[in-house]
Amino acid sequence: MAKTADQYFDDLRETRVWRSIFRSGTGSSTLRRALAIQQNVFLHLFSTKVRTRMLSFSATWYLGTLTLGTFFILVATGIPLMLYYHPSVPQAYHDTKDLQFVVSSGLFLRNLHRWSAHAMVFLVFAHMFKVFYRGAYRTPREFNWVIGVILLLITLLLSYTGYLLPWDQLAYWAITVGSNIASAVPLIGDKIHFLLLGGSSVNANALLRFYVLHCMILPLAAIFFVAIHFWRIRKDGGLYAHSSEPAAVRSRSRAKKKEATING
Amino acid sequence: MAEAKDFVAAIDSNAKKSPRRIVFITRRTSAQVKAETEDQTQSFPEVLFRAAVAIQLLAIALVWISLLFNAPLEGLADPSHTPNPAKAPWYFLGLQEMLHYFPPVVAGVLAPGLVVMALIVIPYFKVNIEAEGLFTKDRLRRLRVFYAVTAPLVIFLGWFHVIVALVPTLIVAGLMLLASQSSAQSSSAFRRYLAARPLSYWVMTWFLFELMVVTATGTFFRGPGWSWVWPWKPY
Amino acid sequence: MANEHEENSSETARDLNRRRFFARLGLGSLSIAAVGTAAFAFQYLQPNVLYEPSPIVNQGKPDRYPLDSVTLDVGAGIYIIHSEEGFFSLSAVCTHLGCLTAWKQELGIIACPCHGSKFFVHADGAHKPGDKIEGPAPRPLPWKRIWLNDDGDLLVDRSTDVPPLARDSFVRI
């Protein structure tokens, strides 16, 4: 009988090279499956087990997973885009034009990067509201919620800094309007505006600063906080499941029923 | 037993499987379950596989969108020519809409700053940890507070002619009034649902509703000079 | 009982077949996507337009170069040499590791400052201009195609090597 893909994969996991890299061997015992998560530097952020109930679509709508997916796509498309992009005026615009019309698949990569960025902002917002309406920010998950708020801000900043990079009319005026809001901060507003743009108006310095923020500082910050975000899910007891909270939280009517049981 | 109980009690009713257990939870605290017997699934490979499939479906959808729709690219940036209207990215258009009505310090700094602060303190804000319906207890006093907060807000928004923010506020306020007239004994399921909503739910729903209406307005209904336009009529 | 059992096992078999089908479908489409991504990535990484200077450079009128002179054009990286046979052009880029060589008038040779390779400029017995005298350079300095355009200017195509001492490798006036 021909081997199935599963068996080939198991064979691969049994080899010395694989085991030397991933530290976990083959086998489908609970122990082996737990080790596969726990012994991997990336996967060990997650817990080895998940409540079966939390796998249903309605529990999370997979919004966190999908947000991570958009982040992967953005990294995978952003790095190739950097290969054809010079953050200087007006070369940035011509490079974007080249990506649009000259470079093979450049148009597609830019489209994918841009639409994924919009999708990520949308998904982060959706994730936040979903978490709120499920009450998943409650003790002991308060701090993970705060990290989530930080990640929301980082996502907005990532998208905002990326908005300037094509150096077209759309980019230039959106950033001009947006950065002038910073000037409205009392007392230190003009200083913030000056530091953000590296000058008193949107020009070559601002483009370079936004480029460095967009490609280096903000992605690193995002990765840092995402790692904590995932790790805290495990440390705080896994994905929030409704019934692990006090009955009174679940719904008023059920709590009433239980109180009636006790009283009666 | 003249004083009110300072705890909630509940019973695990699955007596066949486990010994009868009674839980006492002190009021104004949240219970944390240390151990549980729920069904669990190994993350490897089941959960990872599901995550991978979810991400793949997303990637396929985004690839199709990217093949069908091109990202916008306008002319070279020209500091001497401002396009009309000059719009921020869509997620900031709510902010831009507010900037149309209020000075930048209020709409651009104070309002978003307060929103972010509010989001951060939500989980530390330990009022009503039992998540009771807003009007289930102390109804009259809470109604008075509700009027005292809502009326000035409505007058303020009306004073500045912020119709786009006023309408969602009025709708949510109307639903809250309906909730105050409902209880767990109400005949319609919708009113029972409303009656059980806690304060935090109302505040967040109001925020979400405002955010959507204001962002949609800025995206679709604003044209040259930030005037009102209809999206189906080209300007 | 037996019938029921049989039904169950055939159902399980169908279930297994279906699972295998979907696993194959999934892995198959993933492999196609991976191959496609690799192909498109390879294509993407090759620029379709280069913003580099043209390989053909204009070296001006021939009378700028006196007889028996060796002139280095640093910008273009070539020598224009006016010998008895005519004008010819040698690459100035050392074949060892790409350093720019220099013309040593007092020694009558071309020398590389990096690792000490030395090259003939004048034909010397069996040695042709461009051949190595000593040093680590693996190949002689290549000759470049040179010709006169309609305005009487010398043009050199740096991207085309020509055989040394061949008739067409010289411009004669």
Side-chain angles (χ1 to χ4, degrees):
Chain A
M1 199 179 117
K3 279 186 173 182
T4 64
D6 268 3
Q7 286 162 329
Y8 279 116
F9 186 53
D10 273 351
D11 288 351
L12 180 68
R13 288 177 68 204
E14 217 166 350
T15 57
R16 238 186 102 178
V17 175
W18 179 280
R19 294 195 61 164
S20 74
I21 298 171
F22 294 100
R23 306 191 71 233
S24 67
T26 173
S28 57
S29 68
T30 307
L31 172 67
R32 285 299 172 195
R33 290 181 170 186
L35 286 176
I37 298 288
Q38 192 226 336
Q39 301 280 311
N40 183 296
V41 68
F42 302 108
L43 297 178
H44 94 279
L45 290 172
F46 304 103
S47 49
T48 53
K49 285 185 283 188
V50 176
R51 291 183 194 88
T52 308
R53 208 149 41 88
M54 299 310 292
L55 291 181
S56 70
F57 182 73
S58 62
T60 59
W61 292 350
Y62 284 69
L63 289 170
T65 308
L66 294 178
T67 309
L68 179 70
T70 51
F71 187 75
F72 284 156
I73 296 176
L74 285 165
V75 172
T77 53
I79 290 172
L81 286 175
M82 284 168 75
L83 296 180
Y84 283 108
Y85 180 84
H86 306 80
S88 61
V89 179
Q91 185 62 38
Y93 179 72
H94 300 309
D95 287 341
T96 314
K97 276 271 189 218
D98 271 6
L99 278 166
Q100 202 94 337
F101 296 109
V102 177
V103 179
S104 311
S105 311
L107 176 64
F108 170 73
L109 270 185
R110 190 171 105 82
N111 288 350
L112 190 54
H113 195 75
R114 185 141 185 145
W115 300 134
S116 300
H118 285 318
M120 183 168 171
V121 173
F122 177 80
L123 285 169
V124 167
F125 270 112
H127 181 47
M128 181 182 82
F129 283 108
K130 176 75 178 168
V131 164
F132 176 83
Y133 282 120
R134 277 189 68 87
Y137 56 85
R138 294 202 177 94
T139 315
R141 296 175 175 81
E142 304 103 321
F143 189 62
N144 218 9
W145 167 271
V146 174
I147 290 176
V149 174
I150 295 171
L151 283 169
L152 168 71
L153 296 179
I154 291 177
T155 306
L156 289 177
L157 280 175
L158 267 170
S159 182
Y160 182 68
T161 50
Y163 215 78
L164 180 65
L165 300 188
W167 201 255
D168 61 342
Q169 278 287 74
L170 199 66
Y172 182 85
W173 290 100
I175 303 308
T176 301
V177 170
S179 61
N180 274 329
I181 296 176
S183 312
V185 178
L187 300 176
I188 52 168
D190 286 332
K191 203 74 211 166
I192 295 176
H193 184 248
F194 188 76
L195 284 176
L196 182 68
L197 297 185
S200 45
S201 70
V202 179
N203 54 28
N205 268 359
L207 179 61
L208 193 56
R209 277 180 195 218
F210 275 48
Y211 175 77
V212 172
L213 280 171
H214 185 77
C215 300
M216 195 71 208
I217 297 171
L218 290 171
L220 285 180
I223 290 168
F224 178 75
F225 282 107
V226 163
I228 302 177
H229 201 58
F230 290 167
W231 175 75
R232 278 301 292 253
I233 296 173
R234 166 158 73 83
K235 293 312 244 184
D236 294 342
L239 295 175
Y240 176 87
H242 242 181
S243 77
S244 63
E245 300 299 308
V249 173
R250 253 179 284 164
S251 83
R252 189 67 203 150
S253 58
R254 278 180 76 181
K256 271 247 157 66
K257 214 184 288 165
K258 292 204 171 167
E259 265 174 36
T261 325
I262 295 165
N263 294 339
Chain B
M1 290 297 282
E3 282 175 38
K5 290 195 306 255
D6 64 345
F7 57 83
V8 208
I11 296 177
D12 184 341
S13 60
N14 196 354
K16 271 188 184 170
K17 269 192 167 173
S18 51
R20 172 155 296 201
R21 284 179 288 198
I22 303 180
V23 57
F24 291 93
I25 300 155
T26 318
R27 282 208 182 280
R28 308 180 74 78
T29 60
S30 160
Q32 287 178 45
V33 177
K34 296 278 182 195
E36 51 187 304
T37 52
E38 227 191 294
D39 265 2
Q40 295 196 316
T41 307
Q42 288 291 326
S43 300
F44 184 91
E46 173 87 13
V47 181
L48 288 181
F49 180 74
R50 278 168 178 264
V53 169
I55 290 175
Q56 276 171 19
L57 291 177
L58 172 85
I60 291 170
L62 284 170
V63 163
W64 270 109
I65 292 172
S66 306
L67 288 172
L68 295 176
F69 304 101
N70 281 346
L73 183 64
E74 295 181 357
L76 177 64
D78 179 5
S80 61
H81 171 69
T82 311
N84 195 0
K87 286 194 181 186
W90 63 269
Y91 39 86
F92 286 143
L93 284 183
L95 211 61
Q96 201 174 348
E97 177 72 22
M98 289 294 100
L99 282 162
H100 174 60
Y101 301 103
F102 305 111
V105 187
V106 179
V109 180
L110 218 55
L114 283 176
V115 166
V116 170
M117 286 306 293
L119 286 176
I120 287 176
V121 299
I122 280 176
Y124 297 100
F125 196 61
K126 282 213 172 180
V127 175
N128 190 23
I129 195 73
E130 293 104 333
E132 289 178 315
L134 178 54
F135 296 108
T136 42
K137 264 193 323 198
D138 219 0
R139 184 167 153 265
L140 284 178
R141 194 179 67 81
R142 289 188 179 182
L143 260 179
R144 275 201 296 277
V145 176
F146 166 70
Y147 285 127
V149 173
T150 313
L153 181 65
V154 168
I155 292 170
F156 174 75
L157 292 176
W159 189 269
F160 284 93
H161 301 288
V162 194
I163 309 297
V164 284
L166 185 62
V167 171
T169 309
L170 286 176
I171 291 174
V172 172
L175 286 172
M176 288 174 83
L177 278 178
L178 185 62
S180 74
Q181 303 303 319
S182 313
S183 71
Q185 279 76 41
S186 293
S187 52
S188 91
F190 178 60
R191 292 183 69 164
R192 282 202 298 279
Y193 174 82
L194 287 184
R197 295 304 102 194
L199 176 66
S200 57
Y201 173 91
W202 289 113
V203 175
M204 198 63 151
T205 304
W206 174 72
F207 171 60
L208 173 59
F209 198 18
E210 286 280 0
L211 196 64
M212 292 198 302
V213 169
V214 168
T215 305
T217 306
T219 311
F220 299 115
F221 296 95
R222 290 301 184 180
W226 213 249
S227 59
W228 187 273
V229 294
W230 298 105
W232 52 88
K233 283 187 188 159
Y235 51 82
Chain C
M1 270 303 272
N3 200 12
E4 202 176 89
H5 180 78
E6 222 163 70
E7 237 168 56
N8 269 346
S9 69
S10 78
E11 219 163 81
T12 326
R14 251 210 317 274
D15 201 42
L16 273 177
N17 270 332
R18 206 188 65 225
R19 275 165 175 268
R20 193 178 298 167
F21 169 72
F22 276 113
R24 277 192 190 157
L25 186 72
L27 285 176
S29 45
L30 262 189
S31 332
I32 292 172
V35 171
T37 306
F40 279 111
F42 181 68
Q43 209 182 17
Y44 174 84
L45 291 175
Q46 292 168 305
N48 291 335
V49 172
L50 288 179
Y51 296 97
E52 287 172 356
S54 163
I56 298 172
V57 284
N58 187 321
Q59 292 299 327
K61 297 275 184 274
D63 48 22
R64 279 176 54 193
Y65 307 97
L67 189 65
D68 280 334
S69 74
V70 177
T71 312
L72 171 63
D73 181 341
V74 179
I78 50 169
Y79 293 101
I80 302 293
I81 298 158
H82 189 183
S83 66
E84 300 275 325
E85 294 98 327
F87 295 88
F88 65 97
S89 175
L90 275 182
S91 165
V93 179
C94 180
T95 52
H96 180 217
L97 289 173
C99 291
L100 193 66
T101 55
W103 159 241
K104 302 286 174 197
Q105 182 140 32
E106 63 281 10
L107 303 173
I109 57 164
I110 291 171
C112 177
C114 290
H115 304 97
S117 296
K118 295 186 174 65
F119 303 92
F120 290 104
V121 174
H122 306 293
D124 176 14
H127 299 294
K128 300 184 283 290
D131 281 1
K132 186 180 78 178
I133 303 168
E134 60 175 47
R139 288 182 307 278
L141 291 175
W143 288 47
K144 297 295 177 186
R145 195 162 90 82
I146 187 166
W147 71 99
L148 278 178
N149 73 357
D150 294 342
D151 297 336
D153 288 347
L154 280 171
L155 295 188
V156 177
D157 181 358
R158 291 176 290 163
S159 63
T160 312
D161 290 355
V162 289
L165 293 179
R167 230 175 62 82
D168 289 344
S169 304
F170 290 99
V171 168
R172 294 187 183 79
I173 297 170

